[in-house]
Amino acid sequence: SVAVMIERFIAIYKASADNEVLSEQVREHLVAGRVNEALAVCDEHPGPVSGLLANGIRNRNLDSDSIERAMEELALRETPLLYRRLGVLDTIITIAPLLGLLGTVTGMIKSFHVVGSASGLNNPNAITGGVAEALLATATGLAIAIVTLVGYNYLTEKVKEIIADME
């Protein structure tokens, strides 16, 4: 979970770096008629927004509908790349509490086996060991899910911002 969040944070950070500044610089060059400089600015900035702007500039000889369609097609190809591996985080968010619950059930089963044995009630440490296992499993599952959920929501919102910039 942490590895995926770090990788996605770096990738999304690079994709979202200075999109407003980029758009303003490209606009200034285009208004002044400096198309090559506008393309150079796009090429200097990594990310889907710069690629989308460069695509539109390179297709400037087409009619506006064709330019728009080309840019939309590129945006449709870029969007899944931004969401890459976020499904892994979503799965971890879902499965971690379930694994914690499974650990809770197995810990409680161990406790009940001790109670059900002939010497079970005479050995309270064995009973509390199963309960402790159950509580640790629950806490671990919830902690993993909570941390991952915070990271997932942050990254998802950043992706939505980039998509809004692309639009």
Side-chain angles (χ1 to χ4, degrees):
S1 172
V2 171
V4 171
M5 285 189 289
I6 290 170
E7 184 277 330
R8 286 288 79 203
F9 178 79
I10 292 168
I12 290 170
Y13 177 78
K14 288 178 182 178
S16 67
D18 296 330
N19 287 331
E20 290 180 23
V21 173
L22 167 71
S23 297
E24 188 57 38
Q25 288 176 349
V26 170
R27 184 178 293 113
E28 287 174 10
H29 286 302
L30 291 176
V31 168
R34 298 185 305 262
V35 175
N36 290 333
E37 287 85 349
L39 280 171
V41 169
C42 290
D43 291 338
E44 290 172 6
H45 291 81
V49 174
S50 63
L52 202 62
L53 290 171
N55 182 297
I57 294 168
R58 287 186 182 101
N59 290 315
R60 68 186 177 280
N61 297 329
L62 301 174
D63 63 282
S64 62
D65 287 339
S66 296
I67 294 171
E68 186 176 338
R69 193 169 30 258
M71 291 175 78
E72 285 175 357
E73 288 174 8
L74 180 59
L76 288 173
R77 286 193 305 269
E78 290 289 335
T79 299
L81 298 176
L82 293 170
Y83 280 109
R84 184 184 314 158
R85 293 188 194 89
L86 290 182
V88 171
L89 296 179
D90 191 29
T91 301
I92 291 170
I93 292 165
T94 304
I95 203 164
L98 294 175
L99 289 173
L101 182 60
L102 179 62
T104 301
V105 170
T106 59
M108 294 308 288
I109 289 171
K110 286 180 183 177
S111 292
F112 283 118
H113 276 284
V114 170
V115 170
S117 69
S119 64
L121 294 176
N122 296 331
N123 192 0
N125 289 338
I127 296 171
T128 58
V131 173
E133 177 184 321
L135 293 174
L136 281 172
T138 302
T140 302
L142 289 174
I144 290 169
I146 290 166
V147 169
T148 305
L149 181 61
V150 170
Y152 174 79
N153 284 339
Y154 174 80
L155 293 168
T156 301
E157 287 303 312
K158 293 303 280 184
V159 167
K160 288 177 185 177
E161 288 175 17
I162 295 169
I163 291 171
D165 286 346
M166 287 176 14
E167 290 175 357

